[in-house]
Amino acid sequence: MLANDPGGYVVQAWKTDRTDTVELPHLLLGFLEPDTFIGATLTDTGRGTFRLTGRPITDDETLSQLDLADDETAIEVPKLERTFYGAASTR
């Protein structure tokens, strides 16, 4: 995953039967920028991957910067910030 600007991520992952949906291994979410998360619904496949939907990347300039395998594509999804307010009290 690449942060493409302050408001989004480019997600490079396996193609699915829809051009706007990719399949991404769970572990790759560990590479998000600190205190951010993907602003798209993650659907667990039960196989160690999530499916998520976003805007398909189609412009040649962006695609030329990616090293896509034959079974991969890229989508853009929102990048949202999260704030940690501290742990609950354990009285």
Side-chain angles (χ1 to χ4, degrees), residues 11-51:
V11 179
Q12 177 178 333
W14 294 305
K15 293 178 182 177
T16 66
D17 56 348
R18 294 180 43 172
T19 59
D20 65 345
T21 302
V22 296
E23 193 165 328
L24 176 76
H26 290 170
L27 294 176
L28 290 183
L29 294 177
F31 293 97
L32 296 175
E33 292 180 343
D35 300 320
T36 68
F37 64 97
I38 290 177
T41 301
L42 300 170
T43 304
D44 195 331
T45 65
R47 300 184 307 268
T49 60
F50 291 113
R51 283 188 174 225

Side-chain angles (χ1 to χ4, degrees), residues 43-89:
T43 304
D44 195 331
T45 65
R47 300 184 307 268
T49 60
F50 291 113
R51 283 188 174 225
L52 62 151
T53 301
R55 185 184 66 81
I57 302 293
T58 57
D59 67 279
D60 292 333
E61 181 181 347
T62 303
L63 290 172
S64 70
Q65 298 176 47
L66 303 174
D67 185 18
L68 293 170
D70 291 339
D71 63 346
E72 292 181 331
T73 190
I75 61 171
E76 183 178 18
V77 295
K79 175 175 53 173
L80 302 177
E81 294 182 15
R82 74 176 161 196
T83 303
F84 179 68
Y85 295 104
S89 176

